[in-house]
Structures are given as structure tokens and as C-alpha cells.
């Protein structure tokens, strides 16, 4: 990878500006929370598909006022492609959109399978917010009751709190 900081001061992270690019070959990314939650969601529909070793991943990005933004981050496995568009600041707050294209990289028929499954890929289009170490994933095109049921195995405690509507559930407010 390459990172070029063109302007910055040590007084505040918000002063950082620059650009760069990164590329990885043959990586295992699924232990990284921002990627792993998507992987677990895919595994609910096709077991172990979400755990495929990444053949490559790459992104070009810019840094503006301490916020890193990319509109072309892609991760490829032998059978699918994940595309991320969004930003993360230097305090690890993330706001991104991810789309999983299942079977996209399948040899010989991937482009056809991906085209046929395009409506199904919308099911895997999600907004990712929160912190890099504890991301919140919200499906964009799935009604909330269905998405809550799907996400239950990914966040069991958070889901139970939401179902029971416990006081303070989903907030950082101290209990009274």
C-alpha cells in the first residue's frame, strides 16, 4: 500500500489530508469485524460461502480533514465480490455501503450468474456504521422485521434487547 499525507499537523487528526491506495493478495479478512459480519450474513444463506479466502482486495482512497474515503474498495473471492463505498475517520468511525455479488467470480458462468442474481444481491446491500471494531450493519432493501430475524444470529444480545425493548437498549446511556 501507499499513503501520501500532503498536509497535516499533530495538533488534530482533522487536519490530515492526502491520498493513497492499497492492494492485498490471498488474504483472510473475515476476522476483521467490518468484513466478518457480512461474511456471517452470507453464510446464513450459503454455508461457508462467506468464509472463502480472498483472492485479492484493493482500494484507492483520499484523506480529507482526517476522513478516509473510497468509492472503489473491492474484495474478491473465488465465487463472490464485495464492494464498499464510504468513509472512516481517524477515530475509527465508519459510514459505508457494502454490496455482495454472489457467484460473481465463479469461473465461466460468474458474469451470467451475477446478472441473474442482481435482484438477490440487493438483499445483501447494507449500510455499515459505528466503529471499525464494533460495526452496525443495516440491510437497505429488506423490511425491518425480516432483517431483525436475519441479523439475530449475528448480534444475539443486541437483538434480544431490541425484541424485549429493555430500558437503555441500544443506547450508551447509563442505567438509572
Amino acid at each position: 500500500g501507499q499513503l501520501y499525507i500532503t498536509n497535516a499537523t499533530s495538533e488534530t487528526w482533522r487536519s490530515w489530508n492526502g491520498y493513497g491506495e492499497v492492494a492485498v493478495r490471498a488474504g483472510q479478512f473475515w476476522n476483521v469485524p467490518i468484513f466478518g459480519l457480512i461474511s456471517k450474513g452470507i453464510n446464513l444463506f450459503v454455508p461457508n460461502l462467506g468464509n472463502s479466502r480472498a483472492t485479492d482486495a484493493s482500494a484507492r482512497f483520499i484523506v480529507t480533514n482526517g476522513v478516509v474515503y473510497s468509492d472503489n474498495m473491492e474484495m474478491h473471492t473465488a465465487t463472490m465480490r464485495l464492494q464498499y463505498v464510504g468513509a472512516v475517520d481517524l477515530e475509527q468511525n465508519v459510514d459505508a455501503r457494502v454490496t455482495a455479488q454472489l457467484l460473481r467470480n465463479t469461473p465461466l458462468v460468474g458474469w451470467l450468474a451475477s446478472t441473474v442474481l442482481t435482484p438477490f444481491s440487493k438483499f445483501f446491500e447494507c449500510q455499515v456504521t459505528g466503529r471499525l471494531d464494533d460495526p452496525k450493519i443495516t440491510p437497505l432493501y429488506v423490511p425491518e422485521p425480516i432483517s431483525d430475524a436475519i441479523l439475530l444470529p449475528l448480534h444475539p444480545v443486541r437483538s434480544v434487547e431490541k425484541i424485549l425493548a429493555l430500558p437503555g437498549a441500544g443506547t450508551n446511556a447509563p442505567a438509572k
Side-chain angles (χ1 to χ4, degrees):
Q2 298 177 359
L3 170 64
Y4 299 97
I5 299 299
T6 58
N7 187 25
T9 68
S10 59
E11 294 173 10
T12 176
W13 62 268
R14 293 183 189 271
S15 68
W16 289 50
N17 294 290
Y19 60 95
E21 61 186 352
V22 63
V24 176
R25 301 275 183 251
Q28 190 70 343
F29 298 101
W30 312 128
N31 291 333
V32 178
I34 194 168
F35 305 126
L37 284 178
I38 299 296
S39 169
K40 289 177 186 177
I42 292 168
N43 284 341
L44 291 174
F45 294 93
V46 182
N48 294 319
L49 180 63
N51 294 339
S52 302
R53 178 175 290 277
T55 55
D56 64 283
S58 64
R60 286 187 317 276
F61 55 88
I62 60 170
V63 182
T64 305
N65 300 325
V67 178
V68 180
Y69 174 78
S70 177
D71 64 357
N72 69 349
M73 182 178 173
E74 287 191 1
M75 295 175 62
H76 298 259
T77 72
T79 56
M80 71 176 169
R81 174 171 59 187
L82 292 176
Q83 295 177 304
Y84 283 80
V85 173
V88 61
D89 67 26
L90 296 180
E91 289 189 329
Q92 300 186 24
N93 298 303
V94 66
D95 184 11
R97 182 177 288 214
V98 61
T99 303
Q101 295 177 316
L102 304 180
L103 305 177
R104 173 67 173 104
N105 296 339
T106 304
L108 301 176
V109 296
W111 64 272
L112 178 62
S114 179
T115 301
V116 170
L117 293 175
T118 295
F120 190 65
S121 291
K122 289 294 185 188
F123 188 76
F124 289 103
E125 193 165 330
C126 300
Q127 189 71 27
V128 182
T129 57
R131 294 187 46 81
L132 282 177
D133 60 351
D134 186 25
K136 311 297 184 267
I137 297 191
T138 306
L140 293 174
Y141 301 108
V142 179
E144 190 171 339
I146 296 171
S147 68
D148 288 347
I150 292 168
L151 294 176
L152 178 65
L154 305 181
H155 293 292
V157 173
R158 193 178 309 147
S159 297
V160 170
E161 286 176 343
K162 189 172 180 179
I163 291 167
L164 298 177
L166 296 174
T171 69
N172 293 327
K176 295 183 181 182

